[in-house]
C-alpha cells in the first residue's frame, strides 16, 4: 500500500560528477530531490552560464556550460503539490580546476570531488591504486608482471588551477627498483589546455648505476617496506622536483605520468604536489642561518655576506631537479663579501650550497 501525504514538502538535493572541471566544459547536474517534486529551478552564482543540449533552468537534470573560471555556487529550488524547498552550496563548482597549492596523497579517493584518469591503450596492466603495508595508499604500476614490452600507460591528473601562482614547483615521491638490466621509464608531461597538448618536463630511467632506483635491485616483485625504500632516503635516488613555472598563472593545467614498460620492476607514486613554496623543495637541505644574498633575485651576479664559513670552501648552485649548475672553490675571510658571477646561468630557482673544506660544515641559502 502506498500512502500519499497531503502536507509533506519536498526535500531538495543534487549532485554532479565533475565539481572540478576545465573551462568551457559542460557539466551534467542530477536532481536527487525526494517526495515527488514536479518542478525545478536551477540558479548559479555568478550567473554566467549557458544551458545546453536542449536543457534549461527548469530542467530536472540540466547540462550547463560555465563562461568563466573560478568557483560557482549552485541553488536548486523544487516544488511538489504541497509547497517548495531549496538546496544550495556555495563554491560548489570549480572551473579551471582544483586551486593550488595542490596535493594528492591518494588517500580517501572515493570521497574526493575530483578524479584521476587512467589511459590504458592496450587494455592490459596499467596504473592502479595500491594499499601499502602501513595502510597508506599510492598509485602503482606493476611492471614486474607486465609482459608487453614498450607499452605505455598514462595516469592523468584532474584539472588544476594555477591562476593564483607566479611560481609553480612540482614535487613527488616515488619508489622503484629494477631487475637485472631491465630498466623501466617514467615520463612526466604538463598540459596548459586541459590535455589537448602536452609538454614533456621530465623523463628518466636508471642508468645501471643507481641514478633512478630507490632500493637495491630485486629479482622478486618489488614492494617498498619502509621509508628507506623511497626516494630521498636510504639507498635511493633523490625525489623528483621540477620547476613548472612556465604554467604558473594559468587554469586548466593537467599532469600526465607516463610509464614505459621494459619488464623491470614495480613503480609507486605518492604525494604529488604543486606549490609556490620554495622551502617545500629544499626544506631538508636549507640551513642557511644568517647568510645574506643580494640582489635576490640575482641580476647576473649575487653578493654573499653574513655568517659565511671561513677558509677554503666549495660553492655550488643546484637547481630544483638536483642538477649542479655551477661549482667553484673559494677562500673566504670573516666579515668580507664574496661575489658570485651568474652570467651563464639560466633564469630559475636554485639552492646555493657553501661547504667548508676544513670543517666539513655545509650551509645553504635559497637563490
Amino acid at each position: 500500500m502506498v500512502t500519499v501525504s497531503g502536507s509533506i514538502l519536498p526535500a531538495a538535493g543534487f549532485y554532479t560528477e565533475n565539481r572540478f572541471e576545465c573551462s568551457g566544459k559542460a557539466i551534467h547536474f542530477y536532481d536527487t530531490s525526494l517526495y515527488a517534486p514536479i518542478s525545478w529551478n536551477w540558479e548559479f552564482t555568478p550567473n554566467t552560464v549557458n544551458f545546453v543540449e536542449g536543457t534549461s533552468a527548469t530542467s530536472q537534470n540540466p547540462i550547463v556550460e560555465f563562461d568563466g573560471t573560478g568557483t560557482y555556487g549552485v541553488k536548486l529550488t523544487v516544488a511538489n503539490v504541497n509547497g517548495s524547498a531549496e538546496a544550495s552550496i556555495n563554491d560548489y563548482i570549480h572551473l579551471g580546476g582544483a586551486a593550488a597549492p595542490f596535493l594528492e596523497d591518494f588517500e580517501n579517493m572515493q570521497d574526493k570531488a575530483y578524479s584521476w584518469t587512467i589511459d590504458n591503450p592496450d587494455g592490459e596492466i596499467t596504473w592502479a591504486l595500491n594499499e601499502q603495508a602501513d595502510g597508506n595508499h599510492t598509485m602503482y604500476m606493476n611492471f614486474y608482471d607486465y609482459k608487453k614490452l614498450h607499452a605505455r600507460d598514462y595516469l592523468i591528473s584532474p584539472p588544476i588551477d594555477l591562476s593564483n601562482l607566479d611560481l609553480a614547483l612540482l614535487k613527488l615521491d616515488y619508489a622503484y627498483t629494477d631487475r637485472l638490466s631491465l630498466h623501466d621509464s617514467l615520463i612526466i608531461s604538463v598540459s596548459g589546455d586541459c590535455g589537448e597538448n602536452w609538454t614533456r618536463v621530465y623523463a628518466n630511467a636508471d642508468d645501471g648505476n643507481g641514478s633512478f632506483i630507490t632500493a637495491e635491485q630485486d629479482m622478486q616483485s618489488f614492494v617498498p617496506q619502509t621509508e628507506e625504500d623511497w626516494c630521498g632516503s636510504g639507498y635511493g635516488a633523490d625525489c623528483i622536483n621540477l620547476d613548472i613555472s612556465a604554467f604558473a598563472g594559468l587554469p586548466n593545467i593537467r599532469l600526465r605520468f607516463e610509464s614505459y614498460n621494459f619488464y623491470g620492476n614495480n613503480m609507486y607514486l605518492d604525494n604529488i604536489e604543486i606549490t609556490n613554496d620554495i622551502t617545500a623543495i629544499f626544506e631538508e637541505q636549507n640551513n642557511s642561518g644568517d647568510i645574506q644574498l643580494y640582489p635576490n633575485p640575482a641580476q647576473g651576479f649575487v653578493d654573499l655576506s653574513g655568517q659565511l664559513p671561513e677558509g677554503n670552501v666549495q660553492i655550488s648552485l643546484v637547481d630544483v631537479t638536483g642538477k649542479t649548475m655551477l661549482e667553484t672553490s673559494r677562500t673566504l675571510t670573516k666579515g668580507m663579501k664574496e661575489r658570485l658571477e651568474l652570467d651563464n646561468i639560466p633564469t630559475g630557482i636554485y639552492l646555493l650550497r657553501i661547504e667548508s673544506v676544513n670543517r666539513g660544515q655545509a650551509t645553504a641559502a635559497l637563490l
Side-chain angles (χ1 to χ4, degrees):
M1 182 175 65
V2 177
T3 301
V4 178
S5 171
S7 60
I8 192 168
L9 296 175
F14 61 87
Y15 78 97
T16 180
E17 296 172 346
N18 300 303
R19 287 186 55 203
F20 293 79
E21 186 55 276
C22 293
S23 305
K25 298 288 186 179
I27 297 179
H28 199 150
F29 288 85
Y30 300 92
D31 168 53
T32 59
S33 303
L34 302 176
Y35 309 124
I38 57 174
S39 68
W40 300 264
N41 186 67
W42 297 83
E43 299 175 66
F44 297 89
T45 306
N47 63 355
T48 53
V49 303
N50 299 297
F51 294 89
V52 297
E53 298 187 31
T55 65
S56 69
T58 58
S59 297
Q60 182 177 8
N61 300 306
I63 302 172
V64 182
E65 285 184 352
F66 295 78
D67 292 340
T69 59
T71 58
Y72 282 76
V74 182
K75 177 181 176 182
L76 171 61
T77 302
V78 296
N80 65 12
V81 295
N82 300 313
S84 64
E86 63 182 43
S88 63
I89 305 177
N90 295 327
D91 299 334
Y92 184 66
I93 299 296
H94 298 253
L95 267 295
F102 174 85
L103 173 63
E104 179 58 84
D105 59 8
F106 298 110
E107 305 299 331
N108 305 312
M109 294 298 289
Q110 68 277 10
D111 297 329
K112 290 183 176 175
Y114 58 79
S115 61
W116 288 67
T117 303
I118 294 173
D119 183 4
N120 181 13
D122 62 12
E124 297 186 14
I125 290 173
T126 192
W127 292 99
L129 195 64
N130 172 265
E131 184 172 353
Q132 300 286 291
D134 60 4
N136 291 324
H137 293 82
T138 71
M139 198 57 73
Y140 152 75
M141 169 54 74
N142 180 5
F143 286 125
Y144 187 85
D145 296 315
Y146 203 172
K147 302 300 191 293
K148 193 170 184 179
L149 292 178
H150 312 305
R152 297 176 186 268
D153 289 85
Y154 306 90
L155 173 67
I156 303 171
S157 76
I160 304 168
D161 187 356
L162 304 185
S163 297
N164 64 329
L165 301 186
D166 54 10
L167 169 70
L169 307 173
L170 169 64
K171 66 188 294 283
L172 63 140
D173 299 334
Y174 76 97
Y176 170 75
T177 193
D178 51 17
R179 53 178 164 180
L180 298 177
S181 58
L182 303 173
H183 312 301
D184 311 292
S185 302
L186 176 66
I187 301 160
I188 303 175
S189 300
V190 182
S191 173
D193 55 11
C194 204
E196 295 295 323
N197 299 282
W198 295 94
T199 300
R200 180 181 291 193
V201 296
Y202 176 87
N204 208 354
D206 198 71
D207 61 2
N209 297 308
S211 63
F212 186 64
I213 59 176
T214 66
E216 294 188 19
Q217 191 177 87
D218 194 343
M219 294 301 296
Q220 304 301 313
S221 181
F222 170 60
V223 178
Q225 300 293 331
T226 68
E227 185 178 341
E228 301 296 305
D229 291 328
W230 286 80
C231 62
S233 61
Y235 176 92
D238 289 334
C239 295
I240 298 171
N241 299 305
L242 304 171
D243 182 358
I244 60 168
S245 294
F247 299 91
L250 300 176
N252 307 316
I253 303 299
R254 286 189 186 269
L255 307 175
R256 184 176 71 182
F257 299 88
E258 176 183 349
S259 61
Y260 179 78
N261 180 30
F262 205 71
Y263 197 31
N265 217 322
N266 304 326
M267 182 181 296
Y268 302 80
L269 305 182
D270 202 5
N271 300 322
I272 297 169
E273 181 176 6
I274 300 179
T275 179
N276 63 346
D277 182 4
I278 300 175
T279 60
I281 302 297
F282 294 127
E283 59 185 356
E284 295 183 359
Q285 306 175 59
N286 180 25
N287 56 338
S288 56
D290 293 322
I291 296 176
Q292 281 85 48
L293 307 177
Y294 182 84
N296 190 8
Q299 299 175 1
F301 71 92
V302 65
D303 288 331
L304 318 180
S305 60
Q307 295 185 9
L308 302 174
E310 299 176 39
N312 298 325
V313 301
Q314 191 82 12
I315 300 176
S316 55
L317 200 67
V318 181
D319 70 10
V320 294
T321 70
K323 180 180 179 182
T324 299
M325 303 297 293
L326 180 149
E327 196 166 45
T328 181
S329 297
R330 303 284 178 91
T331 300
L332 301 184
T333 303
K334 184 176 182 180
M336 298 294 293
K337 286 186 178 180
E338 187 71 17
R339 174 160 293 190
L340 195 63
E341 299 292 343
L342 304 173
D343 289 333
N344 297 320
I345 304 298
T347 301
I349 303 158
Y350 299 96
L351 176 74
L352 180 67
R353 182 179 293 120
I354 306 173
E355 183 174 359
S356 171
V357 175
N358 294 334
R359 293 180 291 171
Q361 178 184 358
T363 58
L366 293 171
L367 175 61

